[in-house]
Coordinates of all heavy atoms in Angstrom, one line a residue:
M1 N -7.6 17.9 19.0 CA -7.2 18.6 17.9 C -7.0 20.1 18.2 O -6.1 20.7 17.6 CB -8.2 18.4 16.7 CG -8.1 17.1 16.0 SD -6.5 16.6 15.3 CE -6.2 17.9 14.1
K2 N -7.8 20.6 19.1 CA -7.7 22.1 19.4 C -6.3 22.3 20.0 O -5.7 23.3 19.6 CB -8.7 22.5 20.5 CG -10.1 22.7 19.9 CD -11.0 23.2 21.0 CE -12.4 23.3 20.5 NZ -13.4 23.7 21.6
E3 N -5.8 21.5 20.9 CA -4.5 21.7 21.5 C -3.4 21.5 20.4 O -2.4 22.3 20.4 CB -4.2 20.7 22.6 CG -5.0 21.0 23.8 CD -4.7 20.1 24.9 OE1 -3.6 19.6 25.1 OE2 -5.6 19.8 25.8
F4 N -3.5 20.6 19.5 CA -2.6 20.4 18.5 C -2.6 21.6 17.5 O -1.5 22.1 17.2 CB -2.9 19.2 17.6 CG -2.0 19.0 16.4 CD1 -0.7 18.7 16.4 CD2 -2.7 19.3 15.1 CE1 0.1 18.6 15.3 CE2 -1.9 19.2 14.0 CZ -0.5 18.9 14.0
Q5 N -3.7 22.1 17.2 CA -3.8 23.2 16.2 C -3.3 24.5 16.9 O -2.6 25.3 16.2 CB -5.3 23.4 15.8 CG -5.7 22.3 14.9 CD -7.2 22.3 14.6 OE1 -7.9 22.9 15.3 NE2 -7.5 21.5 13.6
A6 N -3.4 24.6 18.2 CA -2.8 25.8 18.9 C -1.3 25.7 19.0 O -0.7 26.7 19.0 CB -3.4 25.9 20.3
S7 N -0.7 24.5 19.0 CA 0.7 24.4 19.2 C 1.2 23.1 18.5 O 1.6 22.2 19.2 CB 1.1 24.4 20.7 OG 2.5 24.2 20.8
P8 N 1.2 23.1 17.2 CA 1.6 21.8 16.5 C 3.0 21.3 16.8 O 3.1 20.1 16.9 CB 1.5 22.2 15.0 CG 0.7 23.5 14.9 CD 0.9 24.2 16.3
K9 N 4.0 22.2 17.0 CA 5.3 21.7 17.4 C 5.4 21.1 18.7 O 6.3 20.4 19.0 CB 6.3 22.8 17.2 CG 6.4 23.2 15.7 CD 7.5 24.3 15.5 CE 7.6 24.7 14.0 NZ 8.7 25.5 13.7
G10 N 4.4 21.4 19.6 CA 4.4 20.9 20.9 C 3.8 19.5 21.1 O 3.7 18.9 22.2
H11 N 3.2 19.0 19.9 CA 2.5 17.8 20.0 C 2.9 16.9 18.8 O 2.5 17.0 17.7 CB 1.0 18.0 19.9 CG 0.4 18.8 21.0 ND1 0.0 18.2 22.2 CD2 0.3 20.1 21.2 CE1 -0.4 19.1 23.0 NE2 -0.3 20.3 22.4
T12 N 3.9 16.0 19.1 CA 4.3 15.0 18.1 C 3.6 13.7 18.3 O 3.8 13.1 19.4 CB 5.8 14.9 18.1 OG1 6.4 16.2 18.0 CG2 6.3 14.0 17.0
N13 N 2.9 13.2 17.3 CA 2.2 11.9 17.5 C 2.6 10.9 16.4 O 2.7 11.3 15.3 CB 0.7 12.2 17.5 CG 0.2 13.1 18.6 OD1 0.0 12.6 19.7 ND2 0.1 14.4 18.3
Y14 N 2.6 9.7 16.8 CA 3.0 8.6 15.9 C 1.9 7.5 15.9 O 1.1 7.4 16.9 CB 4.4 8.0 16.3 CG 5.5 9.0 16.1 CD1 5.8 9.8 17.2 CD2 6.1 9.2 14.9 CE1 6.8 10.8 17.1 CE2 7.1 10.1 14.8 CZ 7.5 10.9 15.9 OH 8.5 11.8 15.7
L15 N 2.0 6.7 15.0 CA 1.0 5.5 14.9 C 1.4 4.5 15.8 O 0.6 3.7 16.3 CB 0.9 5.0 13.5 CG 0.4 6.0 12.4 CD1 0.6 5.4 11.0 CD2 -1.0 6.3 12.7
G16 N 2.7 4.4 16.1 CA 3.2 3.3 17.1 C 4.7 3.3 17.1 O 5.4 3.9 16.3
R17 N 5.2 2.4 18.0 CA 6.6 2.1 18.1 C 6.8 0.7 18.7 O 6.0 0.3 19.6 CB 7.4 3.2 18.8 CG 7.0 3.4 20.2 CD 7.8 4.5 20.9 NE 7.3 4.7 22.3 CZ 7.9 5.4 23.1 NH1 9.0 6.1 22.8 NH2 7.5 5.5 24.4
P18 N 7.8 0.0 18.3 CA 8.0 -1.4 18.7 C 8.5 -1.5 20.2 O 9.7 -1.1 20.4 CB 9.0 -2.0 17.7 CG 9.8 -0.8 17.3 CD 8.8 0.4 17.3
W19 N 7.7 -2.1 21.0 CA 8.2 -2.3 22.4 C 8.8 -3.7 22.5 O 9.6 -4.0 23.4 CB 7.0 -2.3 23.4 CG 6.4 -0.9 23.6 CD1 6.5 0.2 22.8 CD2 5.5 -0.5 24.6 NE1 5.8 1.2 23.3 CE2 5.2 0.8 24.4 CE3 5.0 -1.2 25.7 CZ2 4.3 1.5 25.4 CZ3 4.2 -0.6 26.6 CH2 3.9 0.8 26.3
K20 N 8.4 -4.6 21.6 CA 8.9 -6.0 21.6 C 9.3 -6.3 20.2 O 8.8 -5.8 19.2 CB 7.9 -6.9 22.2 CG 7.4 -6.7 23.5 CD 8.3 -7.2 24.6 CE 7.7 -7.0 26.0 NZ 8.6 -7.4 27.0
E21 N 10.1 -7.4 20.1 CA 10.4 -7.9 18.8 C 9.2 -8.6 18.2 O 8.2 -9.0 19.0 CB 11.5 -8.9 18.8 CG 12.9 -8.3 19.2 CD 14.0 -9.2 19.2 OE1 13.9 -10.3 19.8 OE2 15.1 -8.9 18.6
F22 N 9.0 -8.7 16.9 CA 7.9 -9.3 16.2 C 6.6 -8.6 16.4 O 5.5 -9.2 16.3 CB 7.8 -10.8 16.5 CG 9.1 -11.5 16.2 CD1 10.0 -11.9 17.1 CD2 9.3 -11.9 14.8 CE1 11.2 -12.5 16.8 CE2 10.5 -12.6 14.5 CZ 11.4 -12.9 15.5
S23 N 6.6 -7.3 16.8 CA 5.4 -6.6 17.0 C 4.7 -6.4 15.6 O 5.3 -6.3 14.6 CB 5.6 -5.2 17.6 OG 6.4 -4.4 16.9
R24 N 3.4 -6.3 15.6 CA 2.5 -6.1 14.5 C 1.5 -5.1 14.8 O 0.8 -5.1 15.8 CB 1.8 -7.4 14.1 CG 2.7 -8.6 13.8 CD 3.4 -8.4 12.4 NE 4.2 -9.6 12.1 CZ 5.5 -9.6 12.2 NH1 6.1 -8.7 12.8 NH2 6.1 -10.7 11.8
T25 N 1.4 -4.0 14.0 CA 0.4 -3.0 14.1 C 0.0 -2.6 12.7 O 0.8 -2.4 11.8 CB 1.0 -1.8 14.9 OG1 1.5 -2.2 16.1 CG2 -0.1 -0.7 15.1
V26 N -1.4 -2.5 12.5 CA -1.9 -2.1 11.2 C -3.0 -1.1 11.4 O -3.7 -1.1 12.4 CB -2.4 -3.3 10.4 CG1 -1.2 -4.2 10.1 CG2 -3.5 -4.0 11.0
F27 N -3.1 -0.2 10.5 CA -4.2 0.7 10.4 C -4.8 0.5 9.0 O -4.2 0.7 8.0 CB -3.7 2.2 10.5 CG -3.3 2.6 11.9 CD1 -2.1 2.2 12.4 CD2 -4.2 3.3 12.8 CE1 -1.7 2.5 13.7 CE2 -3.8 3.6 14.0 CZ -2.6 3.2 14.5
V28 N -6.1 0.2 9.0 CA -6.8 -0.1 7.8 C -8.1 0.8 7.7 O -8.9 0.8 8.6 CB -7.3 -1.7 7.8 CG1 -8.1 -1.9 6.6 CG2 -6.0 -2.5 7.9
K29 N -8.1 1.5 6.7 CA -9.3 2.4 6.3 C -9.6 3.3 7.5 O -10.7 3.5 7.9 CB -10.5 1.6 5.9 CG -10.3 0.8 4.6 CD -11.5 0.1 4.2 CE -11.3 -0.6 2.9 NZ -12.5 -1.4 2.5
C30 N -8.6 3.9 8.1 CA -8.7 4.9 9.2 C -8.6 6.3 8.7 O -7.9 6.6 7.7 CB -7.7 4.6 10.3 SG -7.8 3.0 11.1
N31 N -9.2 7.2 9.4 CA -9.0 8.6 9.1 C -7.9 9.1 10.1 O -8.1 9.1 11.3 CB -10.3 9.4 9.3 CG -10.1 10.9 9.0 OD1 -9.5 11.3 8.0 ND2 -10.6 11.8 9.9
L32 N -6.8 9.5 9.5 CA -5.7 10.0 10.3 C -5.5 11.5 10.2 O -5.3 12.0 9.1 CB -4.4 9.2 9.8 CG -4.4 7.7 9.8 CD1 -3.2 7.1 9.2 CD2 -4.7 7.2 11.2
E33 N -5.7 12.1 11.3 CA -5.6 13.6 11.3 C -4.2 14.1 11.1 O -3.3 13.4 11.2 CB -6.2 14.1 12.6 CG -7.7 13.8 12.8 CD -8.6 14.7 11.9 OE1 -8.1 15.6 11.3 OE2 -9.8 14.4 11.9
S34 N -4.1 15.4 11.0 CA -2.8 16.1 10.7 C -1.9 16.0 11.8 O -0.7 16.3 11.7 CB -3.0 17.5 10.3 OG -3.8 18.2 11.3
L35 N -2.4 15.6 13.0 CA -1.4 15.5 14.2 C -0.5 14.3 14.1 O 0.5 14.2 14.8 CB -2.2 15.4 15.5 CG -3.3 14.3 15.7 CD1 -2.6 13.1 16.2 CD2 -4.3 14.9 16.6
I36 N -0.7 13.4 13.2 CA 0.2 12.3 12.9 C 1.4 12.8 12.2 O 1.4 13.4 11.1 CB -0.5 11.1 12.1 CG1 -1.7 10.6 12.8 CG2 0.5 10.0 11.8 CD1 -1.5 10.0 14.2
S37 N 2.6 12.4 12.8 CA 3.8 12.9 12.2 C 4.0 12.2 10.8 O 3.5 11.1 10.6 CB 5.0 12.3 13.1 OG 6.2 12.5 12.4
P38 N 4.6 12.9 9.9 CA 4.8 12.4 8.5 C 5.5 11.1 8.5 O 5.3 10.2 7.7 CB 5.5 13.5 7.8 CG 5.1 14.7 8.4 CD 5.0 14.4 9.9
D39 N 6.5 10.9 9.5 CA 7.2 9.7 9.6 C 6.3 8.5 9.9 O 6.6 7.3 9.6 CB 8.2 9.7 10.7 CG 9.4 10.6 10.5 OD1 9.6 11.0 9.3 OD2 10.1 10.9 11.4
G40 N 5.2 8.7 10.6 CA 4.2 7.7 10.8 C 4.5 6.9 12.1 O 3.7 6.7 13.0
W41 N 5.7 6.3 12.1 CA 6.1 5.4 13.1 C 7.4 5.9 13.7 O 8.2 6.5 13.1 CB 6.3 4.0 12.5 CG 5.1 3.6 11.7 CD1 4.9 3.8 10.4 CD2 4.0 2.8 12.1 NE1 3.7 3.3 10.0 CE2 3.1 2.7 11.1 CE3 3.6 2.3 13.4 CZ2 1.9 2.0 11.2 CZ3 2.4 1.6 13.4 CH2 1.6 1.5 12.4
M42 N 7.6 5.5 15.0 CA 8.8 5.9 15.7 C 9.6 4.7 16.3 O 9.0 3.8 16.8 CB 8.3 6.8 16.9 CG 9.4 7.3 17.8 SD 8.7 8.2 19.1 CE 10.1 8.8 19.9
P43 N 10.9 4.7 16.1 CA 11.6 3.6 16.8 C 11.6 3.7 18.3 O 11.4 4.8 18.8 CB 13.1 3.8 16.2 CG 13.1 5.2 15.7 CD 11.7 5.7 15.4
W44 N 11.8 2.6 18.9 CA 11.7 2.6 20.4 C 13.1 3.0 20.9 O 13.2 3.9 21.7 CB 11.4 1.2 20.9 CG 11.4 1.1 22.4 CD1 12.3 0.5 23.1 CD2 10.4 1.5 23.3 NE1 12.0 0.5 24.5 CE2 10.8 1.2 24.6 CE3 9.1 2.1 23.1 CZ2 10.0 1.5 25.7 CZ3 8.4 2.4 24.2 CH2 8.8 2.1 25.5
S45 N 14.1 2.2 20.5 CA 15.5 2.5 20.9 C 16.5 2.1 19.9 O 16.7 0.9 19.6 CB 15.8 1.8 22.2 OG 17.1 2.0 22.7
G46 N 17.0 3.1 19.2 CA 17.9 2.7 18.0 C 17.2 1.9 17.0 O 16.1 2.3 16.5
D47 N 17.8 0.8 16.6 CA 17.2 -0.1 15.6 C 16.5 -1.3 16.3 O 16.2 -2.3 15.6 CB 18.1 -0.5 14.5 CG 19.3 -1.4 15.0 OD1 19.4 -1.6 16.3 OD2 20.1 -1.8 14.2
F48 N 16.3 -1.3 17.6 CA 15.6 -2.4 18.3 C 14.3 -2.8 17.6 O 13.4 -2.0 17.4 CB 15.3 -2.0 19.7 CG 14.5 -3.1 20.4 CD1 15.1 -4.3 20.9 CD2 13.2 -2.9 20.7 CE1 14.4 -5.3 21.5 CE2 12.4 -3.9 21.3 CZ 13.0 -5.0 21.7
A49 N 14.2 -4.1 17.3 CA 13.0 -4.7 16.8 C 12.6 -4.3 15.3 O 11.7 -4.8 14.7 CB 11.8 -4.6 17.6
L50 N 13.4 -3.4 14.7 CA 13.0 -3.0 13.3 C 13.1 -4.1 12.3 O 12.4 -4.1 11.3 CB 13.9 -1.8 12.9 CG 13.7 -0.5 13.8 CD1 14.6 0.6 13.2 CD2 12.3 -0.1 14.0
K51 N 13.9 -5.1 12.5 CA 14.0 -6.2 11.6 C 13.0 -7.2 11.7 O 12.8 -8.0 10.8 CB 15.4 -6.8 11.7 CG 16.6 -5.9 11.2 CD 17.9 -6.5 11.3 CE 19.0 -5.4 10.9 NZ 20.3 -6.0 11.2
T52 N 12.2 -7.2 12.8 CA 11.2 -8.2 13.0 C 9.8 -7.7 13.1 O 8.9 -8.5 13.1 CB 11.5 -9.0 14.3 OG1 11.4 -8.1 15.4 CG2 12.9 -9.6 14.3
L53 N 9.6 -6.5 13.0 CA 8.2 -5.9 13.1 C 7.5 -5.9 11.8 O 8.1 -6.1 10.7 CB 8.3 -4.5 13.7 CG 9.0 -3.4 12.9 CD1 8.2 -2.9 11.7 CD2 9.2 -2.2 13.9
Y54 N 6.2 -5.7 11.9 CA 5.4 -5.4 10.7 C 4.5 -4.3 11.0 O 3.5 -4.5 11.8 CB 4.6 -6.6 10.2 CG 3.9 -6.3 8.9 CD1 4.5 -6.3 7.7 CD2 2.5 -5.9 8.9 CE1 3.9 -6.0 6.5 CE2 1.9 -5.6 7.7 CZ 2.5 -5.6 6.5 OH 1.9 -5.2 5.4
Y55 N 4.6 -3.1 10.5 CA 3.8 -2.0 10.7 C 3.2 -1.6 9.3 O 4.0 -1.2 8.4 CB 4.6 -0.8 11.3 CG 4.8 -0.9 12.8 CD1 4.4 -2.1 13.5 CD2 5.5 0.0 13.5 CE1 4.7 -2.2 14.8 CE2 5.7 -0.1 14.8 CZ 5.3 -1.2 15.5 OH 5.5 -1.4 16.8
G56 N 1.9 -1.7 9.1 CA 1.3 -1.5 7.9 C 0.1 -0.6 7.9 O -0.5 -0.4 8.9
E57 N -0.1 -0.1 6.7 CA -1.3 0.7 6.5 C -2.0 0.4 5.2 O -1.3 0.0 4.2 CB -0.8 2.2 6.4 CG -0.1 2.7 7.6 CD 0.5 4.1 7.5 OE1 -0.4 5.0 7.2 OE2 1.7 4.3 7.6
Y58 N -3.3 0.6 5.1 CA -4.1 0.3 4.0 C -5.2 1.3 3.8 O -6.1 1.4 4.7 CB -4.6 -1.1 4.0 CG -5.5 -1.5 2.8 CD1 -4.9 -1.9 1.6 CD2 -6.9 -1.6 3.0 CE1 -5.7 -2.2 0.5 CE2 -7.7 -1.9 1.9 CZ -7.1 -2.2 0.7 OH -7.9 -2.5 -0.4
K59 N -5.3 2.0 2.7 CA -6.4 2.9 2.3 C -6.8 3.8 3.5 O -8.0 3.9 3.7 CB -7.5 2.1 1.8 CG -7.3 1.5 0.4 CD -8.5 1.0 -0.3 CE -8.3 0.5 -1.7 NZ -9.4 0.0 -2.3
N60 N -5.9 4.3 4.2 CA -6.2 5.3 5.2 C -6.5 6.6 4.5 O -6.1 6.9 3.4 CB -5.2 5.5 6.2 CG -5.0 4.2 7.0 OD1 -5.9 3.6 7.4 ND2 -3.7 3.9 7.3
T61 N -7.2 7.5 5.2 CA -7.6 8.8 4.6 C -7.2 9.9 5.6 O -6.8 9.6 6.7 CB -9.1 9.0 4.3 OG1 -9.8 8.7 5.5 CG2 -9.6 7.9 3.3
G62 N -7.2 11.2 5.2 CA -7.0 12.3 6.0 C -5.6 12.8 5.8 O -4.7 12.1 5.3
P63 N -5.2 14.0 6.4 CA -3.9 14.6 6.2 C -2.8 13.8 6.8 O -1.6 13.9 6.3 CB -4.1 16.0 6.8 CG -5.3 15.9 7.6 CD -6.2 14.8 7.1
G64 N -3.1 13.0 7.8 CA -2.0 12.2 8.4 C -1.8 10.9 7.7 O -0.9 10.1 8.2
S65 N -2.5 10.6 6.6 CA -2.3 9.3 6.0 C -1.4 9.3 4.8 O -1.1 8.3 4.2 CB -3.7 8.9 5.5 OG -4.1 9.7 4.4
V66 N -0.7 10.4 4.6 CA 0.2 10.5 3.4 C 1.5 9.7 3.7 O 2.2 9.9 4.7 CB 0.6 12.0 3.1 CG1 1.6 12.0 2.0 CG2 -0.7 12.8 2.8
R67 N 1.7 8.6 2.9 CA 2.8 7.7 3.1 C 4.1 8.1 2.5 O 5.1 7.5 2.7 CB 2.4 6.3 2.6 CG 1.2 5.7 3.4 CD 1.1 4.2 3.1 NE 2.3 3.5 2.9 CZ 3.2 3.1 3.7 NH1 3.0 3.4 5.0 NH2 4.3 2.5 3.4
S68 N 4.2 9.2 1.8 CA 5.4 9.5 1.1 C 6.6 9.8 1.9 O 7.8 9.7 1.6 CB 5.2 10.8 0.1 OG 4.8 11.9 0.9
K69 N 6.4 10.2 3.2 CA 7.5 10.4 4.1 C 7.6 9.4 5.3 O 8.3 9.7 6.3 CB 7.4 11.9 4.7 CG 7.5 12.9 3.6 CD 7.5 14.3 4.2 CE 7.7 15.3 3.1 NZ 7.6 16.7 3.6
R70 N 6.9 8.3 5.2 CA 7.0 7.3 6.2 C 8.4 6.7 6.3 O 9.1 6.7 5.3 CB 6.0 6.2 5.8 CG 4.5 6.6 5.9 CD 4.1 6.9 7.4 NE 2.7 6.9 7.5 CZ 1.9 7.9 7.8 NH1 2.5 9.1 7.9 NH2 0.6 7.8 7.9
V71 N 8.6 6.2 7.5 CA 9.9 5.5 7.7 C 10.0 4.3 6.8 O 9.0 3.7 6.5 CB 10.0 5.1 9.2 CG1 10.1 6.2 10.2 CG2 8.9 4.2 9.6
P72 N 11.2 3.9 6.4 CA 11.4 2.9 5.4 C 11.0 1.5 5.9 O 10.7 0.6 5.1 CB 12.9 2.9 5.1 CG 13.6 3.6 6.2 CD 12.5 4.6 6.8
W73 N 10.9 1.3 7.2 CA 10.5 0.0 7.7 C 8.9 -0.2 7.9 O 8.5 -1.1 8.5 CB 11.2 -0.3 9.0 CG 11.5 0.8 9.9 CD1 12.5 1.7 10.0 CD2 10.6 1.2 11.0 NE1 12.4 2.6 11.0 CE2 11.3 2.4 11.6 CE3 9.4 0.8 11.5 CZ2 10.7 3.0 12.7 CZ3 8.9 1.5 12.7 CH2 9.5 2.5 13.2
S74 N 8.2 0.8 7.4 CA 6.7 0.6 7.5 C 6.3 0.1 6.1 O 7.0 0.1 5.1 CB 6.0 1.9 7.8 OG 6.1 2.8 6.7
S75 N 5.1 -0.5 6.0 CA 4.6 -1.1 4.7 C 3.2 -0.6 4.3 O 2.4 -0.2 5.2 CB 4.5 -2.6 5.0 OG 5.8 -3.1 5.3
E76 N 3.0 -0.6 3.1 CA 1.7 -0.5 2.5 C 1.1 -1.9 2.4 O 1.7 -2.7 1.7 CB 1.7 0.2 1.1 CG 0.3 0.4 0.5 CD -0.6 1.4 1.2 OE1 -0.1 2.4 1.8 OE2 -1.8 1.3 1.0
I77 N 0.0 -2.2 3.0 CA -0.5 -3.6 3.0 C -1.0 -3.9 1.6 O -1.9 -3.1 1.1 CB -1.6 -3.8 4.1 CG1 -1.1 -3.5 5.5 CG2 -2.2 -5.2 4.0 CD1 -2.1 -3.4 6.5
P78 N -0.6 -4.9 0.9 CA -1.2 -5.2 -0.4 C -2.7 -5.6 -0.3 O -3.0 -6.3 0.7 CB -0.3 -6.4 -0.9 CG 0.9 -6.4 0.0 CD 0.5 -5.8 1.3
E79 N -3.4 -5.2 -1.2 CA -4.9 -5.5 -1.1 C -5.2 -7.0 -1.0 O -6.1 -7.4 -0.2 CB -5.6 -4.9 -2.4 CG -7.1 -5.0 -2.3 CD -7.8 -4.2 -3.4 OE1 -7.2 -3.5 -4.1 OE2 -9.0 -4.4 -3.4
K80 N -4.4 -7.8 -1.6 CA -4.6 -9.3 -1.5 C -4.4 -9.8 -0.1 O -4.7 -10.9 0.2 CB -3.8 -10.0 -2.6 CG -2.3 -10.0 -2.4 CD -1.6 -10.7 -3.5 CE -0.1 -10.6 -3.3 NZ 0.5 -11.4 -4.4
H81 N -3.7 -9.1 0.7 CA -3.4 -9.5 2.1 C -4.2 -8.8 3.2 O -4.1 -9.2 4.4 CB -1.9 -9.3 2.4 CG -1.0 -10.2 1.5 ND1 0.2 -9.7 1.2 CD2 -1.2 -11.4 1.0 CE1 0.8 -10.7 0.4 NE2 -0.1 -11.6 0.3
V82 N -5.0 -7.8 2.9 CA -5.6 -7.0 3.9 C -6.7 -7.8 4.7 O -6.9 -7.5 5.9 CB -6.2 -5.7 3.3 CG1 -7.5 -6.0 2.5 CG2 -6.4 -4.7 4.4
D83 N -7.3 -8.8 4.1 CA -8.3 -9.5 4.8 C -7.7 -10.2 6.0 O -8.5 -10.6 6.9 CB -9.0 -10.5 3.9 CG -10.0 -9.8 2.9 OD1 -10.4 -8.6 3.2 OD2 -10.4 -10.4 1.9
V84 N -6.5 -10.6 6.0 CA -5.8 -11.2 7.1 C -6.0 -10.4 8.4 O -6.0 -10.9 9.5 CB -4.3 -11.4 6.8 CG1 -3.5 -11.9 8.0 CG2 -4.2 -12.4 5.7
Y85 N -6.1 -9.1 8.2 CA -6.2 -8.2 9.4 C -7.6 -7.8 9.7 O -7.8 -6.9 10.5 CB -5.4 -6.9 9.1 CG -4.0 -7.2 8.8 CD1 -3.4 -7.2 7.6 CD2 -3.1 -7.6 9.9 CE1 -2.1 -7.5 7.3 CE2 -1.8 -8.0 9.7 CZ -1.3 -7.9 8.4 OH 0.0 -8.2 8.1
S86 N -8.6 -8.5 9.2 CA -10.0 -8.2 9.6 C -10.3 -8.7 11.0 O -9.7 -9.6 11.5 CB -10.9 -8.9 8.5 OG -11.0 -10.2 8.8
V87 N -11.3 -8.1 11.5 CA -11.8 -8.5 12.9 C -12.2 -9.9 12.9 O -11.9 -10.7 13.7 CB -12.9 -7.6 13.4 CG1 -13.5 -8.1 14.7 CG2 -12.4 -6.2 13.5
A88 N -12.9 -10.4 11.8 CA -13.4 -11.7 11.7 C -12.2 -12.7 11.7 O -12.2 -13.7 12.4 CB -14.2 -11.9 10.5
S89 N -11.1 -12.3 11.1 CA -9.9 -13.2 11.1 C -9.3 -13.3 12.4 O -8.9 -14.4 12.8 CB -9.0 -12.6 10.0 OG -7.8 -13.4 10.0
F90 N -9.2 -12.2 13.1 CA -8.6 -12.2 14.5 C -9.4 -13.0 15.5 O -8.9 -13.6 16.4 CB -8.3 -10.8 14.9 CG -7.0 -10.3 14.4 CD1 -7.0 -9.4 13.3 CD2 -5.8 -10.6 15.0 CE1 -5.8 -8.9 12.8 CE2 -4.6 -10.1 14.5 CZ -4.6 -9.3 13.4
I91 N -10.7 -12.9 15.5 CA -11.5 -13.6 16.5 C -12.2 -14.9 15.9 O -13.0 -15.4 16.6 CB -12.6 -12.7 17.1 CG1 -13.6 -12.2 16.0 CG2 -11.9 -11.5 17.8 CD1 -14.8 -11.4 16.6
Q92 N -11.7 -15.3 14.8 CA -12.3 -16.5 14.1 C -13.8 -16.5 14.0 O -14.5 -17.5 14.3 CB -11.8 -17.8 14.8 CG -10.3 -18.1 14.7 CD -9.5 -17.3 15.7 OE1 -9.9 -17.1 16.9 NE2 -8.4 -16.8 15.3
A93 N -14.3 -15.3 13.7 CA -15.8 -15.1 13.6 C -16.3 -15.6 12.2 O -15.6 -15.5 11.2 CB -16.1 -13.7 13.8
S94 N -17.4 -16.1 12.2 CA -18.1 -16.5 11.0 C -18.9 -15.3 10.5 O -19.5 -14.5 11.3 CB -19.1 -17.6 11.2 OG -19.8 -17.9 10.1
T95 N -18.9 -15.0 9.2 CA -19.6 -13.9 8.6 C -21.0 -14.3 8.3 O -21.8 -13.5 7.9 CB -18.9 -13.4 7.4 OG1 -18.8 -14.5 6.5 CG2 -17.6 -12.8 7.7
T96 N -21.4 -15.5 8.5 CA -22.7 -16.0 8.3 C -23.4 -16.2 9.6 O -22.8 -16.6 10.6 CB -22.8 -17.3 7.5 OG1 -22.1 -18.3 8.2 CG2 -22.2 -17.1 6.1
A97 N -24.7 -16.0 9.7 CA -25.4 -16.1 11.0 C -25.9 -17.5 11.1 O -26.1 -18.3 10.3 CB -26.6 -15.1 11.0

């Protein structure tokens, strides 16, 4: 953050960009600092993979979490779907001991 604050225009940061078709990236309840570009996400090359990706955010906080200027191909994850992205869901973990 010190380097970013010393030269904000010299440090452009994004949440991600699609390297492959059907890429999925989500940020759930993260603190996103001001170094995150308001666009949030960056295309890889032209419109490559933009029709097949899912880039979502849910209840993030911090100055970099403002979604009003995000690229149109990013999503706000609906609350009823956010559990799909839990660690337990990804590793098929049981929440009971």
